[in-house]
Amino acid sequence: MSPHDERLAFIGTHILPHEAGLRQWLSRAGLTASERDDLVQEVYYRLLRQVSFAHITEPRAYLYRMARNLILEQVRKNRVVSITTVQNIDELGRADPSPSPEQAVSARRELSRVMAFIDGLPDRCRAVFELRKVHGLSQAQTAARLGVSENIVEKETARGLSLILKQVAQGDADAPAAANAPTTKPEHAGYARH
């Protein structure tokens, strides 16, 4: 898997499920919808520029810390800062990183949404993606189980992640229409959904 695909896989698996909770957290901190969108976009941009994620043991805490640091960075750039902003940043620093009941419900909804996107992937892409990302099989194990090459597994994993991230970015809660497009002719007809 290429470094870019590994970054996308990490973000899609470990960061994306926490986005809704992060947005709620930022809303409570007083950021407008536009400011939240800009901040979340900057977080994803910086994550995509990272070389490795091996040092991240708590992805959710890392995401929140990263967002807080970006807010502090923005405050330092501004010459005039309102007292409310300073108070809100202090509150972010004291915030309990454990999910609130609302965040837990939101995370479950987001997970259901992502699972619906996975279900909407083309057959081979879905089979590969489920084995790799849901069941945690290695690239070699997935290739052996489906009777395809590791190259196919790598490409289908990247394709599945790309289609899912595209749907999440569009905010479409329905099954991905783009994912229902016909897939390329399978290298081996022995794949199956697990």
Side-chain angles (χ1 to χ4, degrees):
M1 186 180 288
S2 73
H4 178 72
D5 292 341
E6 287 177 12
R7 284 191 291 270
L8 287 176
F10 180 88
I11 291 168
T13 305
H14 299 289
I15 299 295
L16 193 61
H18 303 296
E19 181 182 330
L22 175 66
R23 286 179 180 276
Q24 288 176 348
W25 188 60
L26 294 171
S27 178
R28 288 193 304 265
L31 274 70
T32 66
S34 172
E35 290 169 332
R36 290 190 302 269
D37 289 343
D38 290 346
L39 189 115
V40 169
Q41 181 178 358
E42 182 65 20
V43 165
Y44 282 126
Y45 172 73
R46 290 188 182 196
L47 283 167
L48 285 169
R49 287 181 32 212
Q50 284 191 213
V51 175
S52 168
F53 295 104
H55 65 286
I56 302 174
T57 57
E58 296 289 332
R60 183 178 180 276
Y62 187 84
L63 172 66
Y64 281 62
R65 234 182 357 262
M66 190 176 212
R68 182 176 184 272
N69 289 344
L70 285 169
I71 293 170
L72 288 172
E73 201 176 286
Q74 186 60 42
V75 167
R76 285 187 203 109
K77 287 181 184 176
N78 295 337
R79 293 187 183 266
V80 179
V81 179
S82 75
I83 192 69
T84 306
T85 302
V86 173
Q87 178 184 357
N88 289 341
I89 290 172
D90 287 342
E91 289 172 9
L92 285 176
R94 290 191 305 264
D96 180 8
S98 61
S100 68
E102 296 85 10
Q103 290 170 325
V105 168
S106 177
R108 280 193 293 274
R109 279 191 197 129
E110 189 66 18
L111 178 61
S112 294
R113 212 172 135 222
V114 171
M115 293 307 289
F117 294 151
I118 292 171
D119 285 344
L121 292 172
D123 290 343
R124 180 173 68 182
C125 185
R126 181 182 58 240
V128 168
F129 197 85
E130 285 178 345
L131 290 175
R132 289 282 291 132
K133 300 302 173 189
V134 177
H135 299 289
L137 269 61
S138 71
Q139 192 166 299
Q141 291 169 323
T142 302
R145 171 94 50 103
L146 299 177
V148 298
S149 71
E150 286 189 47
N151 186 40
I152 293 291
V153 170
E154 184 177 339
K155 286 180 181 178
E156 291 292 353
T157 302
R159 178 179 179 216
L161 184 59
S162 176
L163 289 169
I164 290 168
L165 290 176
K166 188 182 300 180
Q167 289 299 315
V168 170
Q170 291 173 353
D172 183 4
D174 297 329
N180 291 328
T183 185
T184 56
K185 191 171 186 177
E187 184 179 58
H188 183 277
Y191 61 90
R193 185 169 180 210
H194 295 275

